[in-house]
Amino acid sequence: MDKVNILAIGRDKEILSIVVRLLNKEEAWVAKGVTTDEEAITMFQQQDFDIVLFGGGISEKSEKKLRALFSHQSPDTSIVQHYGGGSGLLYTEIRQVLDQRKSAYKINIQDNIF
């Protein structure tokens, strides 16, 4: 099974490192974290990500810019807003996206069979 690549973006380095560490505890996930828009754009252009996770402290302007860029460059990448609340919520947010992606994949496969 392929690993799920996650790009976490947050402004607070300490919180971001905790989020990345928590995500990387899951065997099937590989997370990388960045704190600036420029780092996020560079990282996104250099690697394929399944999920982009927006953390706290990101301005509305930056989030809109990044969402537009990421959606245009890779429409299949899922974007998640993480509001904090501990590891349980973080894992739930990611798993919901993965479940949605799995369901969409099954529907596409079924549509192409008939």
Side-chain angles (χ1 to χ4, degrees):
M1 178 178 165
D2 290 336
K3 299 247 182 187
V4 175
N5 290 314
I6 303 169
L7 175 60
I9 307 167
R11 298 300 189 233
D12 185 291
K13 287 182 182 183
E14 290 179 26
I15 293 173
L16 180 63
S17 82
I18 292 168
V19 168
V20 169
R21 183 174 42 83
L22 289 169
L23 292 170
N24 283 324
K25 280 186 174 184
E26 291 291 317
E27 273 188 44
W29 302 350
V30 176
K32 295 186 179 177
V34 296
T35 58
T36 68
D37 293 356
E38 293 76 20
E39 289 173 311
I41 292 166
T42 299
M43 183 82 60
F44 195 83
Q45 290 172 339
Q46 293 174 349
Q47 185 175 342
D48 291 330
F49 288 96
D50 302 295
I51 297 173
V52 172
L53 180 77
F54 284 104
I58 300 172
S59 71
E60 185 177 334
K61 180 180 177 182
S62 286
E63 186 176 332
K64 282 183 180 180
K65 174 182 78 173
L66 293 172
R67 279 181 182 270
L69 180 72
F70 297 158
S71 296
H72 177 73
Q73 185 174 332
S74 180
D76 292 334
T77 298
S78 299
I79 299 175
V80 178
Q81 178 68 52
H82 176 60
Y83 296 100
S87 60
L89 180 59
L90 176 64
Y91 293 149
T92 298
E93 291 166 341
I94 300 298
R95 286 190 180 110
Q96 284 177 341
V97 169
L98 294 174
D99 288 345
Q100 290 170 352
R101 291 170 65 99
K102 191 184 300 183
S103 294
Y105 177 76
K106 286 180 182 177
I107 290 169
N108 286 338
I109 293 294
Q110 290 173 352
D111 288 348
N112 289 328
I113 291 173
F114 300 107

